[in-house]
Amino acid sequence: MKPFGLHSLISPRNPDDLLEGNWSKTPFITHGLNESVREIFDLPFLQSREALIRCWSGFIQAHLPDIADESSSIEVRAEDAEKLFKNRMGLLFNNVEKLSPFLRSAVEAVRSDLGLPAATYGRCMVYATPDGKGTAPHFDQNINFVLQLQGTKKWWLASNESVENPTERHTIGQPITPELSTYAPVSFPTAMPEGSMTYTLEPGSVLFVPRGYWHCTEAAGDALALNFTYNQPAWLDVFLAALRSRLVLSPEWRELADGVGSTNQERRKRARCEFDGLLLEHTTDLPNWSAENILDATEGASEI
Ligand SMILES: [Fe+2]
């Protein structure tokens, strides 16, 4: 049997066919996964919500009933989590891969199969959702492969016509983050957009939720789901990482940005002058940069 990877989560689809298209922007669902995800279903701590709580030593996020979202949650200890769940609060266990070498290598294998940068932050999260509860409409800056472990969960997905390639999440009705507000519209929809697609996840279903897609959920019966979640490093992230690793070699660029925030006009002028000098020097260096050199350094040399 092939080791766990992207093919395990999207079976019977072929990863090559999936990656051929505009995969990162297109939701898809597959049902009835069994053998390909057997190793996950066999993990002792994923047998039930109670089993996971028993194994958990850190904090658990409990979603408050007001808006049922990460933006309104408290961190609780495992001993209090079951009581809150019984009071119909959803629970989120973050970085579940830390419990299992198998999950850690699965997260890395799926990242590699997707062709995401080596610096991508990938992790597993488990959502325990009480009957009739779910998440408020929102979009994420991450992508998610959601594997339903127990119970039934309905998902509503709608494409995002307001903002392209968001770098931060947003929940309908909540304040827009400062970075998002620099390029997003002044206001977002006030409810889940019309014409959303509905997906019903049963144990063994996997739903791919693209970055930026509006979504909300509701469980029918107590539900448990495991997410493979990956942030989406953009070209700007690749460039900024390369820029920093280059500039940090220079003692001049490592110098204190002295006087930049000064109220003394002379000091401020000197600071601007010094910065202009560094920028000019950098523009003469930039034409020598190539994608090949940068990416060979961050991802390892390829044989393209
Ligand atoms: Fe989400």
Side-chain angles (χ1 to χ4, degrees), residues 70 127 138-140 144 155 169 215:
E70 287 166 38
Y127 286 85
H138 68 281
F139 63 73
D140 298 305
N144 277 284
W155 283 71
R169 78 190 296 278
H215 56 281

PDB file of all heavy atoms in Angstrom, residues 70 127 138-140 144 155 169 215, ligand 1:
ATOM      1  N   GLU A  70     -14.452  31.023  15.928  1.00  0.00           N
ATOM      2  CA  GLU A  70     -13.147  31.189  16.576  1.00  0.00           C
ATOM      3  C   GLU A  70     -12.961  32.599  17.115  1.00  0.00           C
ATOM      4  O   GLU A  70     -12.202  32.819  18.056  1.00  0.00           O
ATOM      5  CB  GLU A  70     -12.021  30.901  15.576  1.00  0.00           C
ATOM      6  CG  GLU A  70     -11.871  29.440  15.258  1.00  0.00           C
ATOM      7  CD  GLU A  70     -10.995  29.202  14.041  1.00  0.00           C
ATOM      8  OE1 GLU A  70      -9.999  29.916  13.876  1.00  0.00           O
ATOM      9  OE2 GLU A  70     -11.332  28.306  13.247  1.00  0.00           O
ATOM     10  N   TYR A 127     -12.533  19.216  15.163  1.00  0.00           N
ATOM     11  CA  TYR A 127     -13.722  19.961  15.591  1.00  0.00           C
ATOM     12  C   TYR A 127     -14.731  18.973  16.178  1.00  0.00           C
ATOM     13  O   TYR A 127     -15.125  18.023  15.490  1.00  0.00           O
ATOM     14  CB  TYR A 127     -14.367  20.679  14.409  1.00  0.00           C
ATOM     15  CG  TYR A 127     -13.601  21.893  13.939  1.00  0.00           C
ATOM     16  CD1 TYR A 127     -12.551  21.769  13.039  1.00  0.00           C
ATOM     17  CD2 TYR A 127     -13.921  23.165  14.410  1.00  0.00           C
ATOM     18  CE1 TYR A 127     -11.831  22.887  12.609  1.00  0.00           C
ATOM     19  CE2 TYR A 127     -13.220  24.286  13.985  1.00  0.00           C
ATOM     20  CZ  TYR A 127     -12.180  24.141  13.090  1.00  0.00           C
ATOM     21  OH  TYR A 127     -11.474  25.241  12.676  1.00  0.00           O
ATOM     22  N   HIS A 138     -18.179  32.527   7.562  1.00  0.00           N
ATOM     23  CA  HIS A 138     -16.880  33.197   7.545  1.00  0.00           C
ATOM     24  C   HIS A 138     -16.056  32.672   6.386  1.00  0.00           C
ATOM     25  O   HIS A 138     -16.445  31.713   5.732  1.00  0.00           O
ATOM     26  CB  HIS A 138     -16.128  32.944   8.863  1.00  0.00           C
ATOM     27  CG  HIS A 138     -15.696  31.515   9.058  1.00  0.00           C
ATOM     28  ND1 HIS A 138     -16.546  30.528   9.470  1.00  0.00           N
ATOM     29  CD2 HIS A 138     -14.497  30.908   8.858  1.00  0.00           C
ATOM     30  CE1 HIS A 138     -15.905  29.377   9.540  1.00  0.00           C
ATOM     31  NE2 HIS A 138     -14.648  29.574   9.169  1.00  0.00           N
ATOM     32  N   PHE A 139     -14.910  33.304   6.138  1.00  0.00           N
ATOM     33  CA  PHE A 139     -13.919  32.705   5.248  1.00  0.00           C
ATOM     34  C   PHE A 139     -12.583  32.657   5.964  1.00  0.00           C
ATOM     35  O   PHE A 139     -12.353  33.393   6.927  1.00  0.00           O
ATOM     36  CB  PHE A 139     -13.818  33.435   3.898  1.00  0.00           C
ATOM     37  CG  PHE A 139     -13.358  34.868   3.960  1.00  0.00           C
ATOM     38  CD1 PHE A 139     -12.021  35.192   4.224  1.00  0.00           C
ATOM     39  CD2 PHE A 139     -14.244  35.909   3.739  1.00  0.00           C
ATOM     40  CE1 PHE A 139     -11.597  36.510   4.267  1.00  0.00           C
ATOM     41  CE2 PHE A 139     -13.818  37.243   3.780  1.00  0.00           C
ATOM     42  CZ  PHE A 139     -12.497  37.540   4.052  1.00  0.00           C
ATOM     43  N   ASP A 140     -11.729  31.753   5.501  1.00  0.00           N
ATOM     44  CA  ASP A 140     -10.402  31.578   6.090  1.00  0.00           C
ATOM     45  C   ASP A 140      -9.331  31.957   5.082  1.00  0.00           C
ATOM     46  O   ASP A 140      -9.564  31.929   3.871  1.00  0.00           O
ATOM     47  CB  ASP A 140     -10.189  30.111   6.494  1.00  0.00           C
ATOM     48  CG  ASP A 140     -11.178  29.667   7.549  1.00  0.00           C
ATOM     49  OD1 ASP A 140     -11.259  30.314   8.603  1.00  0.00           O
ATOM     50  OD2 ASP A 140     -11.892  28.667   7.310  1.00  0.00           O
ATOM     51  N   ASN A 144      -8.515  23.917   3.706  1.00  0.00           N
ATOM     52  CA  ASN A 144      -8.833  22.820   4.618  1.00  0.00           C
ATOM     53  C   ASN A 144      -9.303  21.593   3.860  1.00  0.00           C
ATOM     54  O   ASN A 144     -10.163  21.706   2.975  1.00  0.00           O
ATOM     55  CB  ASN A 144      -9.961  23.234   5.570  1.00  0.00           C
ATOM     56  CG  ASN A 144      -9.438  24.027   6.748  1.00  0.00           C
ATOM     57  OD1 ASN A 144      -8.864  23.471   7.673  1.00  0.00           O
ATOM     58  ND2 ASN A 144      -9.614  25.338   6.694  1.00  0.00           N
ATOM     59  N   TRP A 155     -22.476  21.422   5.313  1.00  0.00           N
ATOM     60  CA  TRP A 155     -21.639  22.582   4.994  1.00  0.00           C
ATOM     61  C   TRP A 155     -22.316  23.384   3.888  1.00  0.00           C
ATOM     62  O   TRP A 155     -22.850  22.805   2.944  1.00  0.00           O
ATOM     63  CB  TRP A 155     -20.265  22.133   4.476  1.00  0.00           C
ATOM     64  CG  TRP A 155     -19.309  21.662   5.533  1.00  0.00           C
ATOM     65  CD1 TRP A 155     -19.386  20.504   6.248  1.00  0.00           C
ATOM     66  CD2 TRP A 155     -18.123  22.328   5.964  1.00  0.00           C
ATOM     67  NE1 TRP A 155     -18.316  20.414   7.100  1.00  0.00           N
ATOM     68  CE2 TRP A 155     -17.528  21.519   6.939  1.00  0.00           C
ATOM     69  CE3 TRP A 155     -17.504  23.532   5.615  1.00  0.00           C
ATOM     70  CZ2 TRP A 155     -16.337  21.873   7.578  1.00  0.00           C
ATOM     71  CZ3 TRP A 155     -16.322  23.885   6.248  1.00  0.00           C
ATOM     72  CH2 TRP A 155     -15.749  23.059   7.222  1.00  0.00           C
ATOM     73  N   ARG A 169      -8.609  35.820   7.974  1.00  0.00           N
ATOM     74  CA  ARG A 169      -9.990  35.314   7.991  1.00  0.00           C
ATOM     75  C   ARG A 169     -10.949  36.445   8.351  1.00  0.00           C
ATOM     76  O   ARG A 169     -10.541  37.476   8.884  1.00  0.00           O
ATOM     77  CB  ARG A 169     -10.122  34.122   8.944  1.00  0.00           C
ATOM     78  CG  ARG A 169     -10.191  34.474  10.418  1.00  0.00           C
ATOM     79  CD  ARG A 169     -10.080  33.244  11.300  1.00  0.00           C
ATOM     80  NE  ARG A 169     -11.167  32.291  11.154  1.00  0.00           N
ATOM     81  CZ  ARG A 169     -12.345  32.376  11.751  1.00  0.00           C
ATOM     82  NH1 ARG A 169     -12.614  33.419  12.526  1.00  0.00           N
ATOM     83  NH2 ARG A 169     -13.260  31.457  11.584  1.00  0.00           N
ATOM     84  N   HIS A 215     -18.121  30.037   4.192  1.00  0.00           N
ATOM     85  CA  HIS A 215     -18.702  28.756   4.609  1.00  0.00           C
ATOM     86  C   HIS A 215     -19.299  28.856   6.000  1.00  0.00           C
ATOM     87  O   HIS A 215     -18.898  29.681   6.818  1.00  0.00           O
ATOM     88  CB  HIS A 215     -17.689  27.610   4.529  1.00  0.00           C
ATOM     89  CG  HIS A 215     -16.421  27.825   5.309  1.00  0.00           C
ATOM     90  ND1 HIS A 215     -15.393  28.612   4.856  1.00  0.00           N
ATOM     91  CD2 HIS A 215     -16.006  27.331   6.501  1.00  0.00           C
ATOM     92  CE1 HIS A 215     -14.397  28.605   5.730  1.00  0.00           C
ATOM     93  NE2 HIS A 215     -14.753  27.838   6.748  1.00  0.00           N
TER      94      HIS A 215
HETATM   95 FE    FE B   1     -13.456  27.892   8.527  1.00  0.00          FE
END
